[in-house]
Amino acid sequence: RRLTAPGFSESAMQGHLPSVCGVVENMLAQVERKVAEGAIVNFSDLMRRFNADVISKLAFGQDFGSLHQDSPDLADLAMYLDGVYTRMLAPVRYWKVPGLARVFDSGDAAVARLQRKVFALLDGPSPPAAATLLAKLAAAEGGKLSREEVADNLITLFIAGTDTSSHTTAWALYHLSRHPEVQRRIAAEARALPSGL
């Protein structure tokens, strides 16, 4: 947490606001389109895609476009989490036997693909923008973190932020949907915020 803290300071958060607002606008457009079509909006899936786009924008400086298309990164996230759950429930530690993990789950392969993506961003033709978490982590500790440590920290952030935050937000929206009076109070509070927030 200490390494990623600079990316979440008050000034950093103010700098992230335009990017987050852009992803929020994309998400709201998706909801409005589906409602206009008479389609059911799956908020569990939508929040997972939304959080993935917010995190990718802030961490890597690019929107993975998960709200508009299937994302191989989200597929890898799901594969990794399935592997974790499989390992948690396994009666034996099969993943400790060389080569056996890939027989029972795809978690290691999913993490390897995510690492390759982060490495490509680190080694890309242009360095990551200074405001991204990728750049802040790469510079953390005076640049003493290895590429693997930077990648692992960002992958952890991506997995934890996408999975946990999406479930929490989806449940919060569900409970709000059952309490219109609370929705009205929240909407009034949001309208009272200064312009740009």
Side-chain angles (χ1 to χ4, degrees), residues 31-109:
V31 171
E32 289 170 0
R33 183 182 55 78
K34 287 184 184 247
V35 168
E37 294 169 355
I40 293 174
V41 179
N42 178 342
F43 274 93
S44 294
D45 180 61
L46 185 67
M47 290 298 99
R48 188 173 57 89
R49 292 171 179 272
F50 167 76
N51 283 327
D53 281 355
V54 167
I55 291 169
S56 64
K57 188 77 170 166
L58 301 183
F60 309 114
Q62 57 182 255
D63 185 334
F64 288 170
S66 302
L67 282 168
H68 301 290
Q69 63 192 11
D70 287 335
S71 166
D73 305 305
L74 278 180
D76 283 337
L77 168 71
M79 242 182 268
Y80 171 76
L81 290 173
D82 286 346
V84 168
Y85 300 143
T86 300
R87 291 177 187 195
M88 285 175 24
L89 299 174
V92 296
R93 296 179 175 198
Y94 63 86
W95 60 94
K96 298 288 186 179
V97 178
L100 202 51
R102 68 177 166 261
V103 172
F104 291 101
D105 69 64
S106 301
D108 293 341

Side-chain angles (χ1 to χ4, degrees), residues 65-168:
S66 302
L67 282 168
H68 301 290
Q69 63 192 11
D70 287 335
S71 166
D73 305 305
L74 278 180
D76 283 337
L77 168 71
M79 242 182 268
Y80 171 76
L81 290 173
D82 286 346
V84 168
Y85 300 143
T86 300
R87 291 177 187 195
M88 285 175 24
L89 299 174
V92 296
R93 296 179 175 198
Y94 63 86
W95 60 94
K96 298 288 186 179
V97 178
L100 202 51
R102 68 177 166 261
V103 172
F104 291 101
D105 69 64
S106 301
D108 293 341
V111 168
R113 283 189 297 277
L114 290 169
Q115 280 179 328
R116 283 193 298 273
K117 180 161 191 153
V118 174
F119 292 154
L121 291 167
L122 277 170
D123 301 335
S126 58
T132 65
L133 291 173
L134 178 62
K136 289 182 186 321
L137 268 177
E141 303 293 311
K144 293 179 186 171
L145 291 178
S146 70
R147 294 171 75 241
E148 289 76 18
E149 289 170 322
V150 170
D152 289 345
N153 273 283
L154 285 170
I155 289 168
T156 299
L157 178 71
F158 182 69
I159 290 169
T162 300
D163 188 59
T164 307
S165 299
S166 63
H167 291 302
T168 303

